[in-house]
Amino acid sequence: MARSALLRLAVPLLSFALATPVFAQSSLSDWGFDPGALMGDGRELLLRAPDASVDGLFQAVHASARSPQDSRVLCELFDPSAERSLEGYNGLAAQLSEDSRIRFADAATEFFLAAAQSPRQPYDAAFAQQALKAAGVRAALLNDGFVAGLNGTDHTARCRSVGWLLDSLQSRPAAERASVMRLLLSQGLDYLALARALPR
């Protein structure tokens, strides 16, 4: 799989996980946490969040991707021409069904709370990279046109391929899914940091 295709997956996952709608922000405030401060150190959150809470973010993405209505919204984020800003992602997130928004908010709240209360977790980036590649290989073996769809320019084919990749990851153990999710979210943080550093 081309790195650019994986990056297109990483940034939307980051946006939906760490820039969720207002539901998560109110829930966090109720617990006495400042959502802005927590989101400001996303990399540390990724290192501290237990696997179960990271996998909860994946489960929210996977469940929404399986809904015909919500998958159309998610797929807009995977297009190369999608607006690469947290504001743009939040605008699209507002178009998700109420069930999906609540699912993302609950997962994000659990993620933030667990990360704030936990020490750093073991994480092997090389293992995560291999697990992601293996998921891509499984998706390619099981689904004709996976690689072409993921790397191509056809919106529908790319959306279908991303769904197949998520399905492939869903079949793996929770610790492996969490490892891959950490990798993708970390790449998303790198992308957003680079985008903010570039002159407009």
Side-chain angles (χ1 to χ4, degrees), residues 94-173:
Q95 299 174 33
L96 290 170
S97 68
E98 183 178 359
D99 284 348
S100 279
R101 291 197 309 270
I102 291 172
R103 201 166 28 239
F104 277 113
D106 288 347
T109 300
E110 172 60 28
F111 173 86
F112 287 132
L113 292 173
Q117 299 171 14
S118 301
R120 285 194 173 193
Q121 305 293 309
Y123 171 62
D124 183 341
F127 169 78
Q129 190 75 253
Q130 287 304 313
L132 180 58
K133 288 179 183 176
V137 169
R138 282 192 304 276
L141 291 173
L142 294 172
N143 302 285
D144 198 30
F146 167 77
V147 174
L150 193 64
N151 293 324
T153 58
D154 181 82
H155 173 78
T156 302
R158 181 170 45 250
C159 186
R160 187 170 52 244
S161 291
V162 168
W164 287 334
L165 180 61
L166 293 173
D167 286 344
S168 178
L169 285 168
Q170 175 67 12
S171 70
R172 303 304 299 159

Side-chain angles (χ1 to χ4, degrees), residues 11-32:
V11 177
L13 288 179
L14 172 76
S15 70
F16 274 82
L18 300 183
T20 51
V22 180
F23 300 110
Q25 296 185 8
S26 359
S27 299
L28 284 170
S29 298
D30 292 343
W31 280 87

Side-chain angles (χ1 to χ4, degrees), residues 26-200:
S26 359
S27 299
L28 284 170
S29 298
D30 292 343
W31 280 87
F33 291 98
D34 175 7
L38 286 173
M39 283 196 278
D41 198 1
R43 197 168 307 285
E44 186 65 20
L45 291 174
L46 282 175
L47 292 173
R48 290 181 177 272
D51 284 353
S53 66
V54 179
D55 187 49
L57 297 174
F58 172 82
Q59 295 301 331
V61 172
H62 185 251
S64 293
R66 295 182 68 79
S67 157
Q69 172 193 344
D70 293 330
S71 67
R72 285 192 292 273
V73 177
L74 287 175
C75 286
E76 290 296 322
L77 297 169
F78 299 118
D79 277 338
S81 60
E83 184 184 344
R84 302 297 183 204
S85 71
L86 293 179
E87 295 79 12
Y89 291 139
N90 275 333
L92 281 172
Q95 299 174 33
L96 290 170
S97 68
E98 183 178 359
D99 284 348
S100 279
R101 291 197 309 270
I102 291 172
R103 201 166 28 239
F104 277 113
D106 288 347
T109 300
E110 172 60 28
F111 173 86
F112 287 132
L113 292 173
Q117 299 171 14
S118 301
R120 285 194 173 193
Q121 305 293 309
Y123 171 62
D124 183 341
F127 169 78
Q129 190 75 253
Q130 287 304 313
L132 180 58
K133 288 179 183 176
V137 169
R138 282 192 304 276
L141 291 173
L142 294 172
N143 302 285
D144 198 30
F146 167 77
V147 174
L150 193 64
N151 293 324
T153 58
D154 181 82
H155 173 78
T156 302
R158 181 170 45 250
C159 186
R160 187 170 52 244
S161 291
V162 168
W164 287 334
L165 180 61
L166 293 173
D167 286 344
S168 178
L169 285 168
Q170 175 67 12
S171 70
R172 303 304 299 159
E176 190 172 316
R177 289 193 303 266
S179 183
V180 170
M181 192 69 170
R182 281 184 217 277
L183 174 70
L184 292 174
L185 293 175
S186 178
Q187 290 177 341
L189 285 169
D190 290 343
Y191 181 93
L192 287 176
L194 178 62
R196 286 175 181 154
L198 291 174
R200 297 183 181 239

